Amino acid sequence: MTPTKLKPVDAVIVGTGVVGSILAKELADAELKVVALERGRVIDPQHDFASPYTFDELKYDRHSDIFQDLSRETITFRNNAREVALPMREMGSFKPGEAVGGTSLHWGTHTRRFLPWDFETRSRTIERYGKSQILDECSSQDWGLTYEELEPYYDQFEHLYGVGGKAGNLNGEIQPGGNPFEGPRSREYPNPPSSMNYAGTLFANACRELGYHPHVNPVAAQTQAYTNPYKLMLGQCIRGGFCSSHACSMGAKANPLTTVMPALLKQANFELRPLSNVIKVNLDSDGKRATGVTYLDAAGREFEQPAELVILAAYTFNNVRLMLLSGIGKPYDPATNRGVVGRNYSYQSAGRVTLFFEEKVFNPFMGGGARGTAIDEFNGDNFDHSGLDFFGGAYIAVASSGAMPIKSIHVPPGTPRWGAEWKRAAARYYQRNLTVRLHGACQSYRQNYLDLDPNYRDANGLPLLRMTFDWGDNERKASAWITKKAEEIAKAMNPSLMSAQPTAGHYDIVPYQSTHNVGGAAVGADPATSAVNKYLQSWDVSNVFVIGGCNFPQNSANPPTGTIGALACWAADSIKDLYLKRPGPMV
Amino acid sequence: MPPESQTYRYLTQPEIRFLDAAVERLIPADDLGPGAKGSGVTGFIDQQLVSVWGSHGRNYRTGPWPEGTPQQGFQSRLTPREIYRAAIREVNVHCLEQYQKAFEFLAPREQDEVLKGLESGAIQLASVSSKLFFGLLLRNTMEGFFADPMYGGNRDKAGWKLIGFPGVPASDYNDLIEEQNVPYRVEPVSILDVLQERVKLDSQGLPKHVKLKDEGRSGR
Ligand SMILES: Cc1cc2nc3c(=O)[nH]c(=O)nc-3n(C[C@H](O)[C@H](O)[C@H](O)COP(=O)(O)OP(=O)(O)OC[C@H]3O[C@@H](n4cnc5c(N)ncnc54)[C@H](O)[C@@H]3O)c2cc1C
């Protein structure tokens, strides 16, 4: 079948999530003719996400049709290269989205910046502790891009998404109440921080007793009504739960539909094409220039969209997969440790301590977003790792995200999973427990990577992306050690019972953990170990920019989207200010 | 809706009797309130099996189908509908051999023995993994007991009353969230309660919760 060739445009954008929507808006503002292709459907949030239908845990947490439809496309997974990868048949460990607006229609809104250290993980670790602190197979590396360079773009994204928080470091001056370990910020957050709930207050008091610096998580669930720089109005979050994994009916959750799209859709030089699944970036005969993309519409008809500029903004998985399917960049080969596309896939480690009380009732259903209270003493290199057999760390937090009953009933250790005794414990403890959680970094390893699966295909007959991933010893050790610290805090809160669970054993794709899949198209200063240069431009095909969590060479403990948004703003400015003036390789 | 008027679209009579008995062991009725059977969980499971999920309509369903490691997750070629159908019959075959009675006629202690055998994998079924079936049954029972009542379970919001979950939120949590150790005990509100205006709504269309008088009602 010969594809229908469409009229050329200046820029074609694949995906309309956090990244795609920002790139589309910024490039349209620069008067480029922009087309965005999105595999998912159009959402009209006022009607599709109307109250009371959004208050439905079964639908949104379990069966939502704004999640990726795995019947058409999934990934395959194995813990190591000795196993045969099998398809992730059912949604589990992560929940990518499939709709105009992407995954953040149902995200948890926790918006932390990465630590300055996160951008220079390898060199700073070696500088402070020597080479022996890093395992041989660990391929974590510096970004070739620093916190200082990204700071203005963090600021831009935080204002776009209306993040509510308290600065801990304003232009180098430590601020009371904020996170004293954060990198210096040029301005306060655009919105005030959330108030602390009872669980958060208990946690904060225990942390202060131990000499730590508790602060409230910054969130993009609006802490007050807010108008963003694109002049769009967001509502105040009512903290009614049904948040992470759910769509918001209050217009309070920052995402492309609330922060960008309504302004963008008014621009005549922008066109949105939903239900358009991009299957390939087309290259010219010597493979050095992209000529556009090929996509299938809802009826399966094939179209070729020629463009001067191609932006991949299709989440970590499809950014990497489209590079591999299109022959952009050298695929990573773990046997030789050569190649870059698919290299350094990483995730997020964890750990938790659950506390049970007899006389304290927490109203756990109140909350929203990844609101909560945290300490950063054990994150990154904020503590001395001398004598420890790992590097990196975790932040420790008590969430106030709204405990939903199907997912969030915790019973004391030793309680049966069902029956009369379980029922009694569920009734007693649903409101009388809280969890102190680790959100941990994840280093990259030679043996963890993404490539094309040799056995399983998508509905269009194209190979699925294959994930080979397991926890590294560094992560298991870090989690075990920091979980002990979390237990000390937990003890200071005086629970009647508690149980601790660090990250251990093998990574398991079944239970939901986080949609913080990163790496595979790392940013870097060296084309031998990175897929894109510091402007997120492909080293090999200079009119292709690849943007998202896929750029992280390893994962920070902090949630990814603040940094993904900053990277999108940074890339948009780099394209506008540098690339368009002189198209071609920027480094 | 009283249980007798429940109609079923997928489950057969023997399957209904099996599930009524099994889910009631997983969440039994007691002095705290109704169990899974009394709150309609069997009807919930029927609805789920008829839904897109019941035939894994949004799951990847192309072979080959090797077994895989536990970390690789669900790899059965059977859908939930097929798993329930095959497993219930085969569990009853096991019960007839072992106790000369179908599952629903066993004493509660014997039923628990069978359920534990399925949970641990000690009882082996001919065509489906017993652990896989038990996992689905427990998961669906919990979902049915705690999901919005519009799906057929959690009848009379029994699951939410048990734990003190208010359902559809009110819009004033921001004013209450800093309170320390002040239990928020209200009559739970379902989606249908809002749509049928069985509760008063505020200007945002959210329910005004009615405080429970009986302080000891939930969260013993
Ligand atoms: C339950 C949940 C909670 C989360 N909580 C947090 C949190 O608290 N903090 C945080 O930082 N992050 C959180 N995240 C992660 C956050 O949602 C993502 O980091 C973010 O959405 C990534 O943005 P993106 O633009 O890179 O990708 P996406 O938002 O996934 O957008 C990519 C878009 O590309 C489309 N697409 C993919 N392939 C193709 C193709 N071939 N052709 C056309 N279109 C395609 C997709 O349909 C999608 O719309 C959470 C995620 C989930 C699921």
Side-chain angles (χ1 to χ4, degrees):
Chain A
M1 192 170 61
T2 38
T4 308
K5 198 159 176 170
L6 301 167
K7 272 216 204 96
V9 294
D10 297 321
V12 65
I13 296 176
V14 185
T16 55
V18 174
V19 174
S21 56
I22 291 175
L23 265 291
K25 178 79 175 91
E26 292 291 318
L27 296 183
D29 285 351
E31 286 167 15
L32 264 55
K33 180 153 180 38
V34 178
V35 165
L37 301 171
E38 165 58 53
R39 67 178 174 186
R41 70 178 199 272
V42 171
I43 300 274
D44 165 9
Q46 306 231 310
H47 299 100
D48 296 1
F49 297 158
S51 165
Y53 296 103
T54 44
F55 302 110
D56 182 345
E57 185 187 10
L58 185 72
K59 172 171 171 179
Y60 281 101
D61 197 72
R62 298 291 163 116
H63 303 310
S64 177
D65 66 355
I66 57 174
F67 301 163
Q68 182 174 330
D69 183 347
L70 301 183
S71 73
R72 299 205 194 113
E73 184 186 324
T74 183
I75 56 123
T76 67
F77 162 71
R78 58 184 178 174
N79 278 132
N80 60 65
R82 294 180 302 280
E83 295 174 1
V84 176
L86 297 182
M88 178 179 81
R89 296 186 179 278
E90 187 164 44
M91 204 65 93
S93 178
F94 36 82
K95 292 178 178 168
E98 177 172 334
V100 172
T103 305
S104 67
L105 299 187
H106 60 277
W107 74 316
T109 78
H110 189 188
T111 317
R112 262 168 200 266
R113 298 178 176 195
F114 282 6
L115 299 166
W117 178 86
D118 287 321
F119 296 90
E120 294 162 293
T121 300
R122 189 173 198 92
S123 56
R124 289 219 207 169
T125 301
I126 292 174
E127 195 180 299
R128 188 165 174 189
Y129 308 105
K131 267 199 159 141
S132 59
Q133 198 81 7
I134 305 182
L135 291 168
D136 278 348
E137 73 253 32
C138 175
S139 49
S140 292
Q141 63 197 35
D142 293 2
W143 286 50
L145 182 65
T146 61
Y147 175 81
E148 289 68 35
E149 286 172 290
L150 271 189
E151 199 289 329
Y153 300 96
Y154 272 123
D155 180 77
Q156 184 184 345
F157 180 69
E158 285 163 358
H159 282 72
L160 189 59
Y161 271 47
V163 179
K166 174 80 194 77
N169 180 340
L170 256 186
N171 296 306
E173 287 198 28
I174 301 304
Q175 306 292 311
N179 173 10
F181 295 97
E182 70 173 354
R185 55 174 60 246
S186 50
R187 273 201 281 180
E188 251 301 351
Y189 287 97
N191 281 316
S194 312
S195 49
M196 257 181 217
N197 67 355
Y198 181 36
T201 303
L202 284 181
F203 174 76
N205 291 342
C207 288
R208 280 191 208 101
E209 260 174 52
L210 293 164
Y212 306 143
H213 297 82
H215 55 272
V216 168
N217 282 342
V219 286
Q222 307 303 297
T223 53
Q224 62 184 10
Y226 178 68
T227 304
N228 83 355
Y230 296 150
K231 305 222 165 18
L232 297 176
M233 277 163 54
L234 287 86
Q236 188 189 7
C237 167
I238 60 162
R239 303 178 85 171
F242 299 93
C243 182
S244 190
S245 221
H246 293 72
C248 177
S249 55
M250 310 308 295
K253 189 186 276 199
N255 62 42
L257 298 188
T258 50
T259 64
V260 181
M261 285 318 246
L264 178 60
L265 286 166
K266 288 192 188 130
Q267 287 171 240
N269 54 337
F270 172 73
E271 189 194 337
L272 168 68
R273 283 185 217 141
L275 300 176
S276 301
N277 192 353
V278 175
I279 55 172
K280 198 174 179 188
V281 179
N282 302 312
L283 303 183
D284 68 4
S285 53
D286 63 1
K288 290 243 163 11
R289 239 190 94 73
T291 56
V293 302
T294 299
Y295 70 94
L296 302 172
D297 75 358
R301 287 173 297 217
E302 208 170 307
F303 292 90
E304 191 184 324
Q305 176 61 65
E308 290 295 317
L309 195 57
V310 175
I311 312 284
L312 296 185
Y315 194 67
T316 294
F317 296 138
N318 269 347
N319 278 356
V320 172
R321 181 162 173 258
L322 283 168
M323 289 182 88
L324 293 169
L325 289 172
S326 313
I328 299 173
K330 195 168 153 43
Y332 174 66
D333 176 359
T336 59
N337 204 14
R338 293 244 170 86
V340 291
V341 183
R343 182 174 178 273
N344 282 24
Y345 169 74
S346 188
Y347 196 45
Q348 180 133 58
S349 66
R352 63 172 183 264
V353 185
T354 309
L355 290 69
F356 299 89
F357 297 84
E358 303 309 317
E359 303 302 335
K360 294 185 168 70
V361 174
F362 295 110
N363 301 329
F365 40 82
M366 291 184 189
R371 285 172 198 268
T373 309
I375 59 158
D376 227 11
E377 266 74 5
F378 301 103
N379 196 353
D381 202 31
N382 296 343
F383 59 110
D384 188 357
H385 292 68
S386 307
L388 299 174
D389 47 4
F390 66 89
F391 69 102
Y395 70 92
I396 302 175
V398 166
S400 155
S401 44
M404 298 294 106
I406 298 173
K407 196 163 75 175
S408 306
I409 291 184
H410 303 291
V411 290
T415 309
R417 288 164 75 207
W418 50 272
E421 210 184 312
W422 171 84
K423 186 182 178 191
R424 197 159 288 281
R428 171 140 195 99
Y429 289 107
Y430 163 68
Q431 305 230 26
R432 291 184 172 86
N433 80 82
L434 62 88
T435 302
V436 177
R437 243 173 240 284
L438 270 61
H439 302 255
C442 192
Q443 300 311 323
S444 289
Y445 298 92
R446 193 171 161 162
Q447 65 272 18
N448 288 340
Y449 65 102
L450 303 172
D451 67 351
L452 293 176
D453 190 274
N455 303 314
Y456 293 94
R457 292 177 178 263
D458 72 5
N460 300 314
L462 297 169
L464 296 181
L465 192 70
R466 173 168 70 177
M467 174 193 296
T468 305
F469 179 79
D470 206 348
W471 303 121
D473 273 341
N474 189 75
E475 283 53 58
R476 297 190 186 105
K477 286 173 179 163
S479 180
W481 193 85
I482 301 168
T483 301
K484 289 250 152 53
K485 297 287 169 191
E487 282 182 272
E488 288 170 20
I489 301 170
K491 280 200 196 104
M493 294 166 78
N494 277 321
S496 61
L497 286 164
M498 60 188 238
S499 69
Q501 260 187 289
T503 285
H506 294 295
Y507 168 68
D508 181 346
I509 203 159
V510 180
Y512 184 78
Q513 290 155 66
S514 77
T515 311
H516 301 173
N517 313 87
V518 304
V523 60
D526 179 358
T529 53
S530 58
V532 295
N533 64 29
K534 69 188 288 185
Y535 303 106
L536 315 181
Q537 176 186 44
S538 157
W539 285 111
D540 302 271
V541 184
S542 66
N543 64 338
V544 172
F545 289 75
V546 185
I547 309 167
C550 61
N551 301 136
F552 302 178
Q554 60 276 335
N555 209 358
S556 161
N558 292 356
T561 311
T563 302
I564 291 173
L567 286 177
C569 296
W570 152 262
D573 255 21
S574 308
I575 293 170
K576 288 193 297 189
D577 297 345
L578 302 173
Y579 178 85
L580 290 177
K581 294 192 176 126
R582 234 178 122 251
M586 295 160 81
V587 177
Chain B
M1 185 169 52
E4 307 83 66
S5 71
Q6 174 80 50
T7 55
Y8 292 87
R9 285 184 287 170
Y10 179 72
L11 296 170
T12 63
Q13 290 305 311
E15 290 167 346
I16 294 162
R17 290 195 297 269
F18 173 93
L19 287 174
D20 274 348
V23 302
E24 188 63 11
R25 293 313 302 154
L26 299 180
I27 308 179
D30 56 14
D31 57 318
L32 299 179
K37 177 184 170 189
S39 61
V41 166
T42 306
F44 168 87
I45 292 175
D46 184 64
Q47 278 207 33
Q48 290 300 297
L49 296 180
V50 175
S51 77
V52 172
W53 177 79
S55 49
H56 270 175
R58 288 175 61 83
N59 282 15
Y60 188 78
R61 299 226 350 101
T62 308
W65 303 84
E67 201 176 319
T69 65
Q71 293 84 250
Q72 288 176 309
F74 188 95
Q75 295 295 337
S76 170
R77 136 201 317 267
L78 302 178
T79 62
R81 293 159 70 99
E82 294 164 331
I83 292 171
Y84 271 88
R85 181 129 298 162
I88 292 175
R89 203 186 67 79
E90 290 166 15
V91 175
N92 269 330
V93 168
H94 166 86
C95 293
L96 287 169
E97 276 171 13
Q98 198 73 22
Y99 307 95
Q100 293 75 51
K101 281 182 204 154
F103 181 83
E104 74 250 32
F105 297 117
L106 301 183
R109 187 184 41 79
E110 294 166 330
Q111 290 176 333
D112 285 359
E113 238 169 59
V114 173
L115 291 169
K116 282 180 191 154
L118 297 171
E119 183 176 25
S120 69
I123 296 175
Q124 295 199 348
L125 305 178
S127 52
V128 51
S129 147
S130 52
K131 274 186 169 178
L132 181 69
F133 169 60
F134 183 84
L136 277 183
L137 179 64
L138 183 59
R139 164 185 160 174
N140 290 150
T141 301
M142 294 296 170
E143 287 173 350
F145 198 65
F146 292 115
D148 189 276
M150 72 162 139
Y151 294 101
N154 193 10
R155 182 180 293 144
D156 206 19
K157 295 163 273 189
W160 293 353
K161 286 177 184 162
L162 176 75
I163 60 170
F165 180 70
V168 179
S171 61
D172 62 351
Y173 289 0
N174 271 319
D175 304 333
L176 308 170
I177 203 154
E178 287 174 275
E179 289 182 345
Q180 305 207 1
N181 213 6
V182 182
Y184 183 79
R185 295 199 168 121
V186 298
E187 199 59 60
V189 176
S190 70
I191 289 175
L192 203 60
D193 289 339
V194 174
L195 294 176
Q196 298 187 336
E197 297 191 28
R198 284 192 293 237
V199 277
K200 289 213 174 78
L201 303 180
D202 67 12
S203 58
Q204 305 197 59
L206 291 168
K208 293 184 177 169
H209 285 159
V210 177
K211 289 252 151 50
L212 284 179
K213 289 196 190 77
D214 174 9
E215 280 289 301
R217 187 75 189 80
S218 69
R220 280 136 268 238

